[in-house]
Amino acid sequence: MMLILFHSPKGGVGSTFLTAQLAMHLAERGHQVTAIDFTYQDSLKLHFGMLPSQTVAGMTYAPGDTMVVGGVELLNGHAITEDRRFLDVLEQDDPGLFDPHRITLLDIASGSRALKTRLLSHCDLHICPLLPFAGSLATLPLVEPGTPVAQLEKTAFVLNQLDDTRRLSRHSHSFIRELLGDSLLGTVRRDEAVNEALAMFEPIPKFAPSSVVRIDLDRLTHAVERRLGLVADEDAGAASLQI
Ligand SMILES: Nc1ncnc2c1ncn2[C@@H]1O[C@H](COP(=O)(O)OP(=O)(O)OP(=O)(O)O)[C@@H](O)[C@H]1O
Ligand SMILES: [Mg+2]
């Protein structure tokens, strides 16, 4: 079982966007992938080109109905979090909730800290998106209060919405690189096509095939594969040089 959790102490930083895009990129690279939306907003599906009126199957304690979009099995996990049994199940060493043969990506809302903490003990990788703005960088000490960010074993960071034409963005990038070292998994540039694709209910590869975010997400996917030991070292080495 491979579990990747997306959570940031700050909202609006791209957790849902990155969950969806990484899920689709990993699926494109031949992995069996499930993405679970644990947020009340139910917006993960929109990044797959689904409409707000379309329903995603709810997560259950046993394998149930699922739908596959963009090569990814999609589930909604929010309802199950309101069941008291769910938190108890998460206390077990092996909650048996996630398919052992798949990579499962979990989108957790910034406010759901207790859920994040319980899931963290089961996950292989926690990805914390950051934005190159003071409001996001100021929340770094809140990722795991009391532990310096570069020392968090399971946590890696992605700097999202980078804009090299802006001085603050460039300086934030250098600062974050220095502070986080290898814990910075990658960067994703800002491209308005992300929001336009959402508005058109189309996935990015269809709406904006030449978007720069596709290049960045491809590199990020290599970095995630390397971090999880899913690719041979030489493949991964070549990918990491490009970040
Ligand atoms: N690289 C990018 N370029 C342009 N827009 C982006 C990029 N990444 C995310 N966005 C946009 O930023 C907004 C916030 O992204 P998203 O909803 O993924 O953040 P979130 O952390 O999940 O927020 P929330 O706290 O509301 O769950 C969305 O409108 C999304 O389309
Ligand atoms: Mg979100």
Side-chain angles (χ1 to χ4, degrees):
M1 181 179 84
M2 267 313 162
L3 216 55
I4 310 176
L5 182 157
F6 292 77
H7 177 269
S8 156
K10 170 123 178 66
V13 294
S15 296
T16 303
F17 162 71
L18 289 173
T19 305
Q21 304 307 329
L22 265 179
M24 286 186 273
H25 275 74
L26 284 166
E28 211 175 275
R29 296 172 63 78
H31 302 289
Q32 300 287 304
V33 182
T34 298
I36 309 180
D37 187 344
F38 276 106
T39 76
Y40 177 65
Q41 294 176 50
D42 193 22
S43 58
L44 184 67
K45 65 185 182 188
L46 304 180
H47 292 269
F48 289 81
M50 289 176 67
L51 302 173
S53 56
Q54 288 179 293
T55 311
V56 173
M59 183 182 171
T60 53
Y61 293 101
D65 290 342
T66 53
M67 74 196 310
V68 175
V69 194
V72 176
E73 179 186 59
L74 265 186
L75 285 169
N76 188 300
H78 185 258
I80 204 171
T81 62
E82 302 201 322
D83 178 333
R84 256 199 60 81
R85 274 182 305 161
F86 183 70
L87 293 180
D88 294 341
V89 168
L90 287 183
E91 290 293 314
Q92 297 169 13
D93 283 346
D94 178 9
L97 289 165
F98 308 104
D99 190 325
H101 307 295
R102 305 181 72 86
I103 303 176
T104 303
L105 291 82
L106 316 174
D107 180 21
I108 317 285
S110 58
S112 302
R113 266 198 72 81
L115 178 65
K116 177 244 171 176
T117 303
R118 277 194 165 91
L119 284 165
L120 189 66
S121 59
H122 302 293
C123 83
D124 300 282
L125 176 62
H126 161 217
I127 294 182
C128 179
L130 296 170
L131 297 184
F133 308 124
S136 169
L137 304 183
T139 62
L140 274 169
L142 303 177
V143 175
E144 205 51 69
T147 311
V149 279
Q151 288 175 22
L152 296 172
E153 270 180 26
K154 288 187 178 179
T155 303
F157 296 83
V158 173
L159 191 55
N160 185 27
Q161 297 207 24
L162 206 58
D163 179 353
D164 276 342
T165 66
R166 302 275 168 185
R167 193 189 304 174
L168 176 61
S169 188
R170 285 197 306 273
H171 287 188
S172 298
H173 188 186
S174 314
F175 163 73
I176 283 297
R177 231 181 228 290
E178 201 170 313
L179 177 75
L180 298 177
D182 287 345
S183 297
L184 180 63
L185 260 189
T187 58
V188 180
R189 281 169 281 182
R190 178 173 174 77
D191 184 355
E192 207 42 46
V194 168
N195 292 309
E196 286 169 7
L198 274 176
M200 298 304 289
F201 303 110
E202 282 185 2
I204 294 171
K206 184 163 175 232
F207 180 79
S210 56
S211 168
V212 290
V213 300
R214 296 191 66 207
I215 301 165
D216 299 344
L217 288 163
D218 208 41
R219 289 177 185 160
L220 183 61
T221 308
H222 278 280
V224 168
E225 286 180 308
R226 172 168 155 254
R227 170 89 189 219
L228 293 174
L230 297 169
V231 285
D233 274 352
E234 60 274 20
D235 297 351
S240 68
L241 288 174
Q242 301 167 31
I243 294 177

